[in-house]
Amino acid sequence: MSSKTLHEFLKENLDELKNKGLYNVIDPVEGPNGPIITIAGRELINLSSNNYLGLATDQRLIDACLEATKTYGVGAGAVRTINGTLDIHVKLEERLAQFKHTEAAIAYQSGFNCNMAAISAVMDKHDAILSDELNHASIIDGCRLSKAKIIRYNHSDMEDLRTKTRQAKESGMYNKIMIITDGVFSMDGDIAKLPEIVEIAEEFDVMTYVDDAHGSGVLGNGAGTVKHFGLSDRVDFQIGTLSKAIGVVGGYVAGKRDLIDWLKVRSRPFLFSTAVTPGAVAACIEAIDILMDSSDLQNKLWENSNYLKEGLKALGFDIGASETPITPCVIGDEAKTQEFSKRLNEEGVYAKSIVFPTVPKGTGRVRNMPTAAHTKEMLDHALALYEKVGKEMELI
Ligand SMILES: *Cc1c(COP(=O)(O)O)cnc(C)c1O
């Protein structure tokens, strides 16, 4: 068989995606990513960002970012371990530890980066990782990078997890064993069964790793899913992102002091990739101060989420099993789901369709992400358009 050229490979695969209607076209947003966005000159109600608390455009964060940029410049100038660690990076890590109720924390350039960094700094080819089948792509890639044996368990199936943990432990084949899970699952908005996961981990004496990208700032009075269940000192790795509810960019691990000390000398993105910019760091500190100071934004987020959920349910839509602001509107058929999202867009709502292979076949959905920054009028307008398009397409 003759080998393919790059051009042949790309053409074949791009054509296949386009023929299947799976080639994603990116719509640039012309201005801030707030509750209303402008795309191609049209204003749309934005139900697709992860900017849960509206902090991405908050004036207090903008001011902190500008101030730090004036003081420190636009770049950190080096990786953290050479001389890219500015005093504000240290301050951010101290704040994160307070925020998460842990001994210490380490900040990375992104949540994705954080999973690349932390898993492979601790796990290797002699180890095993029990991973929920619906874990985020960055967890999956982080696990692969570590070369540990990956044992997938059925989504939130605690019996399956217990059986597979016992088998891994009793096999005697692995040096170390870790259970790894999202705190909040991003496609359905359901919460991991952390109390049972921690119980299983303690019974078999294995590590726990919770990536709470969608839980921080949302659950547990802002501190996340682990705090929500009162497990702050019983989970080994608490991962968070600074890019969703916090509204800026970056990721972190919070945990015991010795874990953080180890990650500072062994996690490769920390050692070999330049530190987060001073402006972003200062904005993150401001955001965490705001969250530790008051629950107003979280309360508003939940109020808006409940309002949108009730509204969609009352119209007759299936919103799945969400326990968080993530609100899927399950349509089922892939083509219909895409058509629904497109029609909503034409009418004035930006809500992305998510279909196979991101979610199982036949469970296509339009995913809604209400935020604290939406007004009741915006949500009413969105619901009216959902009703209009839903009836037109005979979905309700
Ligand atoms: C979004 C997300 C990430 C990536 O975070 P970034 O800061 O955007 O890189 C990691 N893990 C989970 C579970 C996520 O939902």
Side-chain angles (χ1 to χ4, degrees):
M1 203 174 75
S2 70
S3 62
K4 278 184 191 144
T5 66
L6 172 63
H7 180 70
E8 283 165 350
F9 163 78
L10 295 175
K11 175 150 179 39
E12 260 173 43
N13 287 281
L14 284 170
D15 285 352
E16 188 190 337
L17 282 180
K18 285 176 188 167
N19 290 338
K20 285 188 181 157
L22 294 175
Y23 185 77
N24 182 37
V25 180
I26 294 169
D27 314 312
V29 174
E30 297 148 1
N33 197 335
I36 304 280
I37 47 175
T38 306
I39 291 176
R42 293 172 56 237
E43 286 197 350
L44 300 161
I45 298 170
N46 176 17
L47 288 173
S48 284
S49 88
N50 295 319
N51 179 22
Y52 284 111
L53 302 175
L55 289 171
T57 54
D58 189 286
Q59 194 57 46
R60 293 165 290 184
L61 273 70
I62 296 171
D63 290 342
C65 176
L66 290 174
E67 200 52 47
T69 304
K70 281 184 197 149
T71 307
Y72 294 89
V74 290
V79 304
R80 290 285 307 273
T81 49
I82 306 286
N83 64 0
T85 296
L86 307 172
D87 51 6
I88 48 175
H89 287 105
V90 178
K91 184 171 165 188
L92 172 63
E93 290 170 338
E94 286 167 1
R95 282 290 199 292
L96 285 169
Q98 281 171 2
F99 180 53
K100 286 280 157 177
H101 304 269
T102 58
E103 286 176 15
I106 176 172
Y108 292 96
Q109 300 89 341
S110 77
F112 200 106
N113 212 341
C114 190
N115 283 325
M116 296 300 106
I119 303 171
S120 57
V122 172
M123 304 303 277
D124 65 32
K125 65 179 182 205
H126 304 294
D127 301 330
I129 302 175
L130 293 131
S131 175
D132 189 291
E133 64 177 336
L134 294 190
N135 277 345
H136 188 259
S138 60
I139 298 181
I140 295 168
D141 286 7
C143 290
R144 286 180 182 155
L145 189 62
S146 77
K147 299 199 177 75
K149 167 81 180 167
I150 299 166
I151 304 168
R152 291 194 342 159
Y153 61 91
N154 298 333
H155 175 53
S156 280
D157 181 341
M158 294 299 106
E159 216 161 296
D160 194 38
L161 174 62
R162 182 183 292 276
T163 304
K164 287 174 175 165
T165 307
R166 172 179 288 123
Q167 283 168 353
K169 190 78 184 179
E170 289 176 354
S171 74
M173 283 163 63
Y174 306 110
N175 252 346
K176 302 194 271 333
I177 300 173
M178 170 189 274
I179 300 174
I180 191 160
T181 183
D182 275 30
V184 172
F185 291 89
S186 57
M187 294 303 147
D188 293 294
D190 53 323
I191 303 174
K193 294 175 180 163
L194 292 185
E196 284 158 274
I197 290 175
V198 166
E199 219 176 87
I200 293 169
E202 290 175 351
E203 180 182 340
F204 295 101
D205 198 18
V206 304
M207 295 175 236
T208 44
Y209 185 114
V210 178
D211 179 350
D212 209 20
H214 284 281
S216 293
V218 175
L219 286 160
N221 223 350
T225 314
V226 173
K227 176 74 173 24
H228 168 75
F229 287 117
L231 298 167
S232 299
D233 54 357
R234 291 168 67 193
V235 166
D236 297 305
F237 295 74
Q238 287 194 59
I239 312 306
T241 167
L242 299 164
S243 347
K244 289 181 174 134
I246 302 298
V248 193
V249 72
Y252 57 90
V253 183
K256 292 264 192 299
R257 172 81 53 197
D258 54 358
L259 170 66
I260 305 307
D261 286 347
W262 178 247
L263 294 177
K264 283 185 176 166
V265 293
R266 272 297 180 277
S267 51
R268 294 167 71 82
F270 190 82
L271 272 73
F272 299 109
S273 181
T274 298
V276 176
T277 63
V281 172
C284 289
I285 293 171
E286 183 67 27
I288 290 160
D289 284 348
I290 291 170
L291 291 194
M292 290 202 298
D293 203 43
S294 145
S295 336
D296 290 355
L297 288 174
Q298 286 130 52
N299 294 342
K300 185 76 187 156
L301 168 65
W302 280 92
E303 193 186 308
N304 282 347
S305 302
N306 292 334
Y307 188 76
L308 184 72
K309 281 181 168 172
E310 289 308 317
L312 286 171
K313 262 201 289 199
L315 288 173
F317 285 106
D318 171 9
I319 62 162
S322 170
E323 303 168 85
T324 60
I326 297 172
T327 306
C329 187
V330 181
I331 307 298
D333 178 73
E334 283 69 30
K336 237 186 210 169
T337 308
Q338 281 164 334
E339 175 63 18
F340 187 53
S341 166
K342 183 165 155 268
R343 283 288 301 124
L344 284 172
N345 187 318
E346 286 164 1
E347 294 291 334
V349 177
Y350 194 88
K352 275 290 217 191
S353 61
I354 300 178
V355 297
F356 180 80
T358 307
V359 291
K361 256 207 176 87
T363 70
R365 75 277 316 265
V366 169
R367 190 178 62 163
N368 301 283
M369 309 290 277
T371 73
H374 287 92
T375 62
K376 195 158 166 292
E377 290 66 37
M378 291 173 196
L379 297 176
D380 281 335
H381 189 193
L383 286 167
L385 296 177
Y386 258 94
E387 181 173 16
K388 177 174 176 199
V389 177
K391 284 188 172 151
E392 170 196 297
M393 287 183 62
E394 295 178 359
L395 298 170
I396 49 170

